[in-house]
Amino acid sequence: MARDSVGGTSGGSARRSVASGGKRLSLATVSATRKLWSGNIAVAEGALAAGVDFYAGYPITPSSAIMEHLARELPKRGGTFLQAEDEIASVFMLIGASWAGGRPLTATSGPGFSLMQEGLGIAIMTETPLVVVDVMRLGPGTGQASKAGQGDLMQARWGRHGDQHLVVYAPTSAQDCFDLAVRAVNTAEKLRVPVVLLSDELVAHTWEGVAVPETVERVERPRYTGEGLPFASPDPRVTPPMPALGEGHGVLMTGSTHDGRGVRFTADPDVHRALATRLVDKVRLNADELAVIEEHGTDDAEVGVVAYGSVARAALAARELVAAQGIRLGVVVPKTLWPLPEEPIRRLAERVRAIVVPELSLGQLVLDVERIAAGACPVIGLSKVGGGIPLFPSEIAARVREVMP
């Protein structure tokens, strides 16, 4: 029996959150301390462990506990906490803090995340490392502020205008919230890119045990020392060095098209093409290293499920329900939602009768799974929105049974 990340057990094969090189996601060691935390508190503590030293934000349900926790804890550790006038100001404060050498993070939910999109576009263009935690709720508009949803997936990936990529992680548990918060900060620093940690209300407000290691790895951004160019790299997979304001370097930083020195070139197509392509390739070509994904029972599965966030927990429970009836269900849980790890989903599609994609939205991840499956098997969406009612394991199990002969 192999223990999975949601506290249950699963028979057959189970691959734990695997990134490149076969490494497990969990940062816990045998000397880890157990804590009882909500997902929101685990995000805040993961950020602190990763060295976050600046937070600017505006309170919004259901993410406010992250802000409240860091308002207490950051000043104790020499960090800076600011309540901004709104989310627009918050994200631009993060950009300034990052260029001053800080490791910034903020947290928000749907309406606030919408307001941050222009700032995130500037951060992508200026290669500014920062982390935004979006605890998803029901929208659009104000929607149902305290109810869970998963309608922000496409916004997290594509909410900015123009050709651009950033990185999106999605936790399924409080343990993931801690581990992926650390990973998000380190990814932002390594690639000089904004990272979105896409939680949801159910994950955020679920209290459960978290294994907290004594120390975690802290990745430092490449520092500019006067050698090389701060906005160019001959290998797009390699991040250019970042100068910090106040260190004596002549720094040019603009959201307009610029060359490797940061000088504006807004009329030269070659300069823009090279810049936009490199910014996208910096994420795209590092996809294997960014990949965090779980596979449960996929080797001999008859039917597959692909699910993320809180819904993935229901999918794993549904796997046990249908196993009692002799149905072999394989579950793939992507925890990197962009760039989405495609190969495990492609392998699943080649093995099973059909793939079910349950979501607390009207269907977003299902579009990716259809594209990746490329006709190898039917892909069936299972959507549920409204009222904060979760997708229950019994509902997923019922849809799985429907596709069996």
Side-chain angles (χ1 to χ4, degrees):
M1 302 290 280
R3 182 164 296 278
D4 62 45
S5 64
V6 297
T9 57
S10 56
S13 64
R15 298 186 181 92
R16 290 291 303 278
S17 305
V18 176
S20 62
K23 298 177 181 177
R24 290 188 176 189
L25 168 65
S26 179
L27 304 173
T29 65
V30 291
S31 60
T33 302
R34 297 289 296 182
K35 297 288 187 179
L36 179 62
W37 285 337
S38 69
N40 276 343
I41 301 304
V43 166
E45 286 290 334
L48 291 168
V52 165
D53 55 14
F54 183 88
Y55 184 102
Y58 190 83
I60 183 170
T61 302
S63 72
S64 296
I66 299 172
M67 181 175 181
E68 293 166 1
H69 192 78
L70 290 175
R72 290 190 299 269
E73 296 300 322
L74 257 181
K76 296 178 185 177
R77 310 185 191 199
T80 300
F81 173 89
L82 289 172
Q83 178 170 328
E85 60 267 35
D86 56 32
E87 291 86 354
I88 300 173
S90 299
V91 71
F92 280 98
M93 289 178 182
L94 262 62
I95 292 173
S98 188
W99 277 91
R103 294 164 78 94
L105 175 142
T106 191
T108 188
S109 190
F113 194 46
S114 296
L115 292 173
M116 291 182 179
Q117 295 305 317
E118 181 184 7
L120 284 171
I122 294 290
I124 291 169
M125 192 63 151
T126 56
E127 299 182 75
T128 303
L130 57 85
V131 176
V132 174
V133 184
D134 175 20
V135 183
M136 292 182 287
R137 70 190 210 186
L138 285 170
T142 307
Q144 293 181 314
S146 62
K147 308 302 182 183
Q150 291 183 320
D152 296 358
L153 173 58
M154 290 301 183
Q155 183 186 27
R157 294 173 174 177
W158 309 120
R160 287 71 48 201
H161 66 283
D163 292 303
Q164 46 75 40
H165 281 192
L166 46 64
V167 179
V168 183
Y169 294 121
T172 66
S173 65
Q175 184 70 61
D176 280 351
C177 286
F178 181 90
D179 295 343
L180 286 173
V182 174
R183 189 178 182 90
V185 174
N186 284 339
T187 298
E189 293 291 317
K190 182 174 183 178
L191 293 184
R192 280 184 62 186
V193 68
V195 176
V196 175
L197 185 57
L198 198 63
S199 183
D200 64 60
E201 184 274 333
L202 291 170
V203 172
H205 289 154
T206 296
W207 289 77
E208 54 193 339
V210 178
V212 182
E214 293 180 359
T215 60
V216 302
E217 180 187 12
R218 291 186 182 180
V219 174
E220 299 294 335
R221 68 188 65 165
R223 292 288 186 180
Y224 182 72
T225 60
E227 300 292 329
L229 296 172
F231 298 100
S233 173
D235 183 347
R237 296 169 296 182
V238 178
T239 305
M242 183 174 180
L245 300 177
E247 291 184 346
H249 303 295
V251 179
L252 297 171
M253 191 265 278
T254 176
S256 297
T257 297
H258 50 272
D259 68 6
R261 299 166 296 164
V263 177
R264 293 175 75 247
F265 276 84
T266 58
D268 189 323
D270 292 334
V271 172
H272 184 84
R273 186 179 303 110
L275 174 61
T277 301
R278 183 180 64 80
L279 293 178
V280 167
D281 283 348
K282 182 171 64 171
V283 174
R284 183 179 65 84
L285 297 179
N286 282 298
D288 287 346
E289 182 177 347
L290 296 169
V292 183
I293 193 164
E294 289 182 0
E295 297 177 70
H296 297 263
T298 55
D299 290 339
D300 62 348
E302 300 171 281
V303 183
V305 166
V306 179
Y308 74 97
S310 60
V311 177
R313 301 172 72 127
L316 290 169
R319 180 169 178 257
E320 297 185 1
L321 292 178
V322 299
Q325 300 169 330
I327 300 173
R328 298 188 302 275
L329 177 63
V331 179
V332 172
V333 182
K335 298 185 180 183
T336 303
L337 294 182
W338 195 258
L340 184 65
E342 297 189 3
E343 188 55 33
I345 299 172
R346 187 174 293 111
R347 287 198 306 265
L348 182 67
E350 293 169 351
R351 293 171 179 165
V352 298
R353 300 174 186 271
I355 294 177
V356 176
V357 186
E359 301 179 72
L360 290 176
S361 72
L362 294 177
Q364 297 185 20
L365 182 62
V366 67
L367 302 175
D368 281 302
V369 178
E370 287 176 345
R371 172 181 58 82
I372 296 167
C377 73
V379 176
I380 302 162
L382 176 58
S383 296
K384 191 173 186 180
V385 294
I389 303 172
L391 264 166
F392 295 108
S394 58
E395 295 174 295
I396 299 173
R399 186 58 58 90
V400 168
R401 293 187 197 102
E402 289 175 6
V403 305
M404 293 296 292

